Amino acid sequence: MRVGQDGSRSVIGPDACDSTPAAVIVTHGPQHRITYRNAAHREMFGDHPDPLGAPLRAFLPGTSGTSGTSGASGTSATSCTSPTDFSEVLDRVLATGRPEVLPAAPVRLPGSGAEGEPLRHLTCALSRLTSADGSHGVLAVMLDVTEQVAAVERIRVLSEQRRLALLRYASLVAAGSQAIWVIAAEGGVVERSPGWELMTGQTWEEYRGDGWVEALHPEDRASVVRDWETALVEVPARFTTTYRVRMSDGAYRHVAVEAAPVLDRGRVLEWVGTCTDVEQEWQETRRDELIARAIAATAGIAELDELLAALTHVVVPAVADSCSVYLLTEALPHPDGTRSAERVVATTRPDLPELPPHRVEHLGPDGPLLRAVEHRSPVHAVFPAGRPPPELAPSDAEPWLPPAANSVILLPVVVEGTVAALVTASVSGDRTPLGQAETELLGLLLERAHAPLGRALEYQRTKQVALALQRSLLTEPPAVPDLEVAVRYRPSNAAAQIGGDWYDSFERADGSLVLTIGDVTGHDLPAAVTMSQLRNMLRGLALGRQESTGSVLRRLDQSVQTLYLECTATCVLGRVERPAPGRFALQYSVAGHPPPLLVEADGTSRFLTVAHGPLLGLAPDPHYDTVTEELPPGSTLLLYTDGLVERRHEDIDVSLERLRRHAFDASRLPLDAFCDALLAEMPAEDSDDDMAVVALRVPPSVPGPPGGRPERGDPDRQG
């Protein structure tokens, strides 16, 4: 062939293209009659005996229509390409001389089988030829590209499948997370994460690389970075962790992180991970754990202080840095609108300054503590660390908040419709301030512990009622012209103990003075009620008849055994009489009670142990001795309950001897000071019982010299 100036080609010689692997065919004239076909074309379309001169449509795809047209041999090529389009291309190439290409046309070649057989794909290049006489034809070169088309289709299908798989994965991940991120093999975010931006408010420039760490809570950063660096080195199949992230609104929430390495032949290409907001789940888990701890910590505790201390140790440091509990010791406010509250527990994180655990607070009418009590609703406040607002901590008030506190919750505890206690909790320094979640959690902790707390608080209220009843009966002694009488009462230091101690003193119509002291068995409200009834009953019996003290105790015992079947009590009944002017004598009887102590003016001291008798309510036919003891001038008589002498792990004889010596040392003090000195010698923490004292002092027969005192006796001499 040769190429003309217009781009046309002319035939150089026959069979010039027989060795070409592509199918080649040459036509002439507008009918496109075949003037040449090479061996590859004969193999592709069939070897016909004499195809020359036949129209090209019998041997090119698309020229025979959908049903095919017989060629010289009666075979056909059925095309899936429009015959009209193909004929137009042939005509256009012949007319214009511009070559054209039909790429990868689907064709069903002769002998390829039934309609269901796969099609072949041919790429046809057509160009115009010019013969020696100046006439024109068309050169068609066809390549079978079926395998290439199939490979491309396979790649397309695989690509589509991969695209769909990625879409499915992205949808699945997005359904269970809020942010998807990609980190390089050596660390550092390398792709944008719209979810992270929406969650945290960080821009791409802010969180790329290691900038995402700035969105973590300061308390979590070090541990998260350490764990992540370990994962980059060890390459676990799955990396999980949970930490707090600052959200776009500035609040911190817990997120769960899951990440996995993308591996290629064992080499890490990158890491893909997700972040999911799990704040609600974290709060629920935390709540369940703390409630379980509170239940376990308070199980079996009846003592109020121990119960409250156990609860505060659950709160600190898991929820707060400091937690205190106040008991409202008064049912009604004072006339000026204030109320008193006793702080009974104060638990603080070890590295913070401690608050005194016991303190009485006066709740002002405009203060936050009283506001929480009166409104029966929590008070929550957040403020700069160490700078609470004036309405929370006035400058002229005693501090009740830790100095570095940044937030506080005041939570009233309501028992049977009454605010019985107030719980305060605070956090300090850079720790995240307390919020609504912590308020609800504290409420749940107290709600779960409400039953034991209610029982303990109810017992406290019961004790207060019993103490009020007891004190209402512990009257002041009568004013007797020639005798001094002093009384003292100190309740038990144990919060759960209600004593049954009582004393009484009154003057009879005959001028004699009755002194009595006793103790009812038991430490509860019924014991206090029984004590009051026995005290009044004994007063009536001692006033009614002129009989010995032993007879009076016998009749009292008979009444106890009739009216109080399971009650026992101890008692000393004494009657001070005047056998002659200036002389005094004590007639007394004892019912199982510690013996009276007599301290004479010279310091000689001794216990009056002659009178004996069983406990009240114990013996079926009781008998009580009646003994008369002279009271020397200037002597002091002491009646007391066992709380004054008994100490844990100490023999009673040792305790009595200690009391005798202390009474000797204090005998020259005024009578009131004498009683106070004896109580002071028994520290409150050493006794679990009430203490009651009745002291009588006989005047001296002859007044001593001014400023002088009579000689004292030997303190070891008991007389």
Side-chain angles (χ1 to χ4, degrees), residues 225-288:
V225 170
R226 182 179 62 252
D227 294 345
W228 181 239
E229 289 176 346
T230 301
L232 291 177
V233 175
E234 298 179 354
V235 191
R238 181 169 173 262
F239 173 77
T240 61
T241 186
T242 299
Y243 50 75
R244 288 167 290 179
V245 171
R246 184 182 63 247
M247 298 295 168
S248 56
D249 61 358
Y252 284 95
R253 295 178 67 85
H254 286 81
V255 298
V257 175
E258 294 195 30
V262 178
L263 302 174
D264 182 18
R265 300 175 184 177
R267 183 172 65 90
V268 178
L269 300 180
E270 60 189 12
W271 290 77
V272 178
T274 64
C275 292
T276 304
D277 188 328
V278 293
E279 180 67 21
Q280 182 175 354
E281 294 88 339
W282 187 88
Q283 292 289 356
E284 291 174 354
T285 301
R286 177 198 192 196
R287 177 200 64 193
D288 294 343

Side-chain angles (χ1 to χ4, degrees), residues 10-86:
S10 57
V11 177
I12 296 176
D15 303 327
C17 297
D18 278 352
S19 61
T20 303
V24 178
I25 190 167
V26 179
T27 68
H28 183 265
Q31 298 298 318
H32 305 292
R33 294 184 180 278
I34 299 174
T35 61
Y36 172 78
R37 59 194 293 248
N38 70 349
H41 188 276
R42 290 192 296 271
E43 183 180 353
M44 186 180 296
F45 289 93
D47 190 9
H48 305 290
D50 189 14
L52 299 179
L56 178 62
R57 63 178 178 270
F59 299 97
L60 282 175
T63 61
S64 60
T66 57
S67 60
T69 302
S70 298
S73 65
T75 61
S76 66
T78 301
S79 173
C80 295
T81 301
S82 168
T84 301
D85 292 345
F86 195 80

Side-chain angles (χ1 to χ4, degrees), residues 172 192 320 401 480 533:
L172 182 62
R192 291 191 62 176
L401 276 172
V480 181
Q533 294 170 338

Side-chain angles (χ1 to χ4, degrees), residues 323-376:
C323 185
S324 300
V325 182
Y326 296 84
L327 294 183
L328 301 182
T329 56
E330 299 170 339
L332 297 174
H334 300 160
D336 60 359
T338 64
R339 295 189 67 169
S340 294
E342 181 184 0
R343 185 165 64 208
V344 295
V345 174
T347 301
T348 307
R349 207 176 68 192
D351 57 328
L352 294 177
E354 294 184 358
L355 292 175
H358 293 282
R359 176 181 173 80
V360 176
E361 293 283 351
H362 297 287
L363 312 185
D366 298 326
L369 299 177
L370 187 57
R371 186 163 63 249
V373 171
E374 291 180 341
H375 294 174
R376 299 188 182 186

Side-chain angles (χ1 to χ4, degrees), residues 217 219 244 252 406-407 427-428 430-434:
H217 193 284
E219 295 177 2
R244 288 167 290 179
Y252 284 95
N406 64 33
S407 58
V427 299
S428 301
D430 296 332
R431 187 173 179 179
T432 302
L434 297 171

Side-chain angles (χ1 to χ4, degrees), residues 531-586:
M531 172 271 295
S532 68
Q533 294 170 338
L534 292 186
R535 179 253 193 197
N536 292 333
M537 191 182 302
L538 180 57
R539 174 174 279 221
L541 293 174
L543 282 172
R545 298 182 183 181
Q546 186 65 33
E547 57 183 333
S548 67
T549 55
S551 298
V552 173
L553 285 185
R554 176 179 173 82
R555 289 201 290 137
L556 177 63
D557 196 346
Q558 291 172 342
S559 300
V560 168
Q561 297 193 45
T562 301
L563 300 176
Y564 310 101
L565 300 181
E566 297 182 0
C567 172
T568 59
T570 67
C571 180
V572 172
L573 174 62
R575 190 166 63 230
V576 180
E577 300 172 333
R578 297 172 178 81
R583 292 181 56 196
F584 298 90
L586 171 70

Side-chain angles (χ1 to χ4, degrees), residues 146-202:
T146 302
E147 294 302 323
Q148 292 88 329
V149 170
V152 171
E153 179 64 14
R154 286 195 297 272
I155 293 173
R156 186 193 67 80
V157 171
L158 289 174
S159 178
E160 181 64 16
Q161 290 176 344
R162 182 176 181 275
R163 187 181 70 86
L164 290 175
L166 289 175
L167 289 175
R168 294 189 190 105
Y169 171 75
S171 298
L172 182 62
V173 171
S177 64
Q178 289 183 317
I180 305 173
W181 44 264
V182 178
I183 288 183
E186 64 278 5
V189 176
V190 294
E191 291 187 13
R192 291 191 62 176
S193 173
W196 180 265
E197 295 173 8
L198 183 64
M199 177 189 293
T200 65
Q202 281 188 311

Side-chain angles (χ1 to χ4, degrees), residues 570-607:
T570 67
C571 180
V572 172
L573 174 62
R575 190 166 63 230
V576 180
E577 300 172 333
R578 297 172 178 81
R583 292 181 56 196
F584 298 90
L586 171 70
Q587 182 184 118
Y588 74 100
S589 298
V590 178
H593 198 86
L597 175 64
L598 181 63
V599 183
E600 299 186 18
D602 62 355
T604 301
S605 56
R606 56 192 174 91
F607 289 103

